[in-house]
Amino acid sequence: MPDDCHAPGFVAMHASMTAPAIILSHPQLGENIGAAARAMANFALSDLRLVKPRDGWPNERANVMAVGASYVLDDARVFPTLPEAIGDLQFVLATTARNRGFAKQIYTPEAGVKLLREAIARGETCGILFGNERTGLENDEVSLSSAVITVPTSEEFSSINLGQAVLLIAYEWFKSGDATPGYRLEHGPIARKATREEMIHLFTHLERELLANGFLYPPDKADTMIRNIRAMLSRAEFTDQEVRTLRGIIVALAEGKHRKRGTNPQG
Amino acid sequence: MPDDCHAPGFVAMHASMTAPAIILSHPQLGENIGAAARAMANFALSDLRLVKPRDGWPNERANVMAVGASYVLDDARVFPTLPEAIGDLQFVLATTARNRGFAKQIYTPEAGVKLLREAIARGETCGILFGNERTGLENDEVSLSSAVITVPTSEEFSSINLGQAVLLIAYEWFKSGDATPGYRLEHGPIARKATREEMIHLFTHLERELLANGFLYPPDKADTMIRNIRAMLSRAEFTDQEVRTLRGIIVALAEGKHRKRGTNPQG
């Protein structure tokens, strides 16, 4: 946006913000800032804002902890106060564990990131706000946010580390926009899932050998045995390669038996 | 279970396992074992099994990192090999990031923990297996598991720390059994959400004062203005206390004006 757009009353905004900013208010340990940066990189977030980090900025321990994600730290912006850090944002979720004693809308991380997706789809600028390690967010800080996210935890042990909190929320953010199917069959580059025809050939091959070797006995139980074997093999979702391997195993076992028989007719 | 139950062929099992075990195979850093224990405590898991931790066991750095969750570490069991660590389990999910080149069923964490819930509901003993920090799980280790979980991440930066991986899966486990509503209104102990009657009294009070003070002008726009104000105030989901506060504000502003008028008729 060119500078001459700065008409009186104009508030500078990210023209096309496609993901929420992560705002850490008064973070204490460089390690946690680094862990937060790494979690952001894992889940495709990049706008990191720090309100008055206790140990100054930049922070070498943050860089060590961020490993390959130090580009997030390099681009991080430091602000003297929270109102300045979130001034351009239109929808801010605060993360808190404690009950605040004043009325707030509380969302689970999953429901909260859905709100963020909806806000971004409407063109709004968004952020997620995290308090410091010792006390979390102050009530004054929470009161500047639009709503609150609380991570559900075991009641016996609810304390979540700052870096871990960023990780969980960033993970939910990424998941809410991710199309990975809940289940998939992974196989090697030249394999594919077997067709029904390949499976039926496997079945008939195996059953022919089982019949020849007297396994399908007594005859009135043979149909049930065949159905059970087919069900068992179908459940495994073989690839075409695995079907070929199995047919090779059948051949090897059956021929081995024939060979053994051939060399030792009394065996 | 009394010892005399150990009849020949009996496999010792957790009689009533209600949550999966967490198995760390050849973990290197005590810090990560401690972080894993803490994540387990956060999300109501307690059966930690370690396969040959590199730096021996117990590990002081693990205890420092676990903070209040060292009871998980105290109860952790150490095994010399993975087959021994998972021998009593019936359904084991392996967590991996890399494609393995052999066919495996891959689940997202969300879909994977659903399988665990189902297996546990059937009375099966379950575990979730994590590889070491440097190489993750070996192919041989993955091949001992029932299926694989892979955390979806940004393609640009997919490396997840061991403690973080345990945290994400433990979080999904907890969430899958957690009934926290996606959204709730939190308020102080003596407040509750306002009734429609209280809101209607607020509206009529405010509108009476606005009318008296000439705000609802011109008259043919008054209905629209009233509807907009009511919509705006309804959206905020006030508590009963907040409605009383607002009515106090209205009284203060309106009476202040009356008083000012009274003391300064020319004002």
Side-chain angles (χ1 to χ4, degrees):
Chain A
M1 200 168 281
D3 247 341
D4 57 8
C5 283
H6 285 260
F10 177 83
V11 177
M13 278 197 280
H14 290 257
S16 61
M17 208 169 171
T18 56
I22 298 291
I23 307 109
L24 307 184
S25 178
H26 301 84
Q28 303 187 326
L29 298 173
E31 285 84 347
N32 288 331
I33 302 171
R38 182 172 170 170
M40 289 174 65
N42 280 144
F43 299 115
L45 296 174
S46 57
D47 182 352
L48 176 60
R49 306 175 182 199
L50 306 173
V51 179
K52 240 186 161 172
R54 186 190 65 183
D55 299 336
W57 195 255
N59 181 317
E60 186 46 35
R61 288 153 88 188
N63 277 298
V64 170
M65 194 69 178
V67 198
S70 49
Y71 65 91
V72 175
L73 298 177
D74 296 341
D75 292 344
R77 285 175 287 168
V78 177
F79 297 87
T81 67
L82 180 61
E84 287 163 280
I86 62 174
D88 62 322
L89 303 179
Q90 293 165 300
F91 186 74
V92 175
L93 290 176
T95 57
T96 100
R98 290 177 293 120
N99 190 300
R100 293 304 172 148
F102 57 90
K104 268 288 169 191
Q105 287 145 320
I106 312 280
Y107 293 86
T108 60
E110 199 170 347
V113 297
K114 198 157 165 279
L115 290 183
L116 289 172
R117 291 269 170 207
E118 291 165 357
I120 283 172
R122 290 191 300 267
E124 297 177 14
T125 52
C126 298
I128 312 171
L129 173 58
F130 297 82
N132 78 25
E133 291 90 336
R134 207 171 47 81
T135 54
L137 288 169
E138 302 293 325
N139 281 345
D140 280 352
E141 295 176 310
V142 175
S143 72
L144 293 178
S145 67
S146 314
V148 165
I149 289 182
T150 296
V151 177
T153 59
S154 163
E155 282 178 31
E156 283 77 42
F157 194 79
S158 65
S159 148
I160 296 182
N161 160 285
L162 173 58
Q164 291 181 327
V166 174
L167 179 78
L168 291 179
I169 309 293
Y171 164 73
E172 284 285 8
W173 161 259
F174 186 81
K175 240 181 35 164
S176 70
D178 180 48
T180 303
Y183 160 75
R184 65 188 194 276
L185 182 68
E186 180 192 85
H187 42 66
I190 55 167
R192 55 165 174 74
K193 196 160 157 181
T195 62
R196 286 295 99 191
E197 186 183 30
E198 288 163 337
M199 290 303 290
I200 290 163
H201 286 162
L202 169 67
F203 296 155
T204 50
H205 180 184
L206 175 63
E207 290 153 15
R208 190 173 61 238
E209 291 294 346
L210 292 179
L211 191 64
N213 286 281
F215 183 86
L216 296 174
Y217 186 88
D220 65 315
K221 294 274 193 283
D223 279 358
T224 306
M225 293 165 83
I226 286 173
R227 272 197 299 275
N228 288 341
I229 293 166
R230 289 183 175 195
M232 176 176 82
L233 295 175
S234 294
R235 226 162 43 224
E237 298 193 84
F238 294 128
T239 67
D240 60 335
Q241 282 193 319
E242 290 168 337
V243 168
R244 284 195 295 275
T245 301
L246 281 168
R247 295 192 64 174
I249 290 172
I250 296 165
V251 169
L253 294 178
E255 289 194 352
K257 196 160 187 179
H258 296 323
R259 264 202 295 275
K260 219 190 294 171
R261 272 195 189 143
T263 54
N264 177 15
Q266 285 80 36
Chain B
M1 198 167 284
D3 248 343
D4 58 8
C5 282
H6 283 261
F10 178 84
V11 177
M13 279 196 279
H14 291 256
S16 60
M17 208 168 170
T18 56
I22 297 292
I23 307 109
L24 307 185
S25 178
H26 302 84
Q28 304 188 327
L29 298 174
E31 287 83 347
N32 287 332
I33 303 171
R38 183 174 168 167
M40 289 174 66
N42 281 145
F43 298 117
L45 297 174
S46 58
D47 182 352
L48 176 61
R49 307 175 181 199
L50 306 173
V51 179
K52 241 186 164 175
R54 186 191 65 184
D55 299 337
W57 195 255
N59 182 316
E60 186 46 36
R61 288 153 89 190
N63 278 296
V64 169
M65 195 69 179
V67 197
S70 49
Y71 66 92
V72 175
L73 297 176
D74 296 341
D75 293 343
R77 284 176 288 166
V78 176
F79 297 86
T81 67
L82 181 61
E84 288 164 279
I86 62 174
D88 62 322
L89 303 179
Q90 293 165 297
F91 186 74
V92 175
L93 291 176
T95 56
T96 98
R98 289 177 294 121
N99 192 301
R100 294 302 171 149
F102 57 92
K104 268 288 169 190
Q105 288 146 319
I106 312 278
Y107 294 85
T108 60
E110 199 169 347
V113 298
K114 199 158 163 280
L115 291 184
L116 290 172
R117 291 268 169 209
E118 291 165 358
I120 284 172
R122 290 191 301 267
E124 298 177 15
T125 51
C126 298
I128 313 171
L129 173 59
F130 297 82
N132 78 24
E133 291 89 337
R134 206 172 46 81
T135 55
L137 288 170
E138 302 294 326
N139 282 345
D140 281 351
E141 296 176 310
V142 175
S143 72
L144 294 178
S145 66
S146 315
V148 166
I149 290 182
T150 296
V151 176
T153 59
S154 163
E155 283 178 30
E156 282 77 42
F157 194 78
S158 64
S159 148
I160 295 182
N161 158 286
L162 173 57
Q164 291 181 326
V166 174
L167 179 78
L168 290 179
I169 309 294
Y171 165 73
E172 284 286 7
W173 161 260
F174 186 83
K175 240 181 35 163
S176 70
D178 180 49
T180 303
Y183 161 74
R184 66 188 193 275
L185 183 68
E186 180 193 86
H187 42 65
I190 54 167
R192 54 164 176 72
K193 196 159 156 181
T195 63
R196 285 296 99 188
E197 186 184 33
E198 288 163 335
M199 291 302 290
I200 290 164
H201 286 162
L202 170 67
F203 295 155
T204 51
H205 180 185
L206 175 63
E207 289 153 14
R208 189 173 62 238
E209 291 294 345
L210 292 179
L211 191 65
N213 286 280
F215 181 86
L216 295 175
Y217 186 87
D220 64 315
K221 294 273 194 282
D223 280 357
T224 305
M225 293 166 82
I226 285 173
R227 273 195 300 274
N228 287 342
I229 292 167
R230 288 182 174 193
M232 176 176 83
L233 294 175
S234 294
R235 227 163 43 226
E237 298 192 84
F238 294 128
T239 66
D240 60 334
Q241 284 192 320
E242 290 167 336
V243 168
R244 284 195 294 275
T245 301
L246 281 168
R247 296 193 63 174
I249 290 172
I250 296 166
V251 169
L253 294 177
E255 290 194 351
K257 196 160 185 178
H258 296 323
R259 265 202 295 275
K260 219 190 298 174
R261 271 195 189 143
T263 53
N264 177 15
Q266 285 81 37

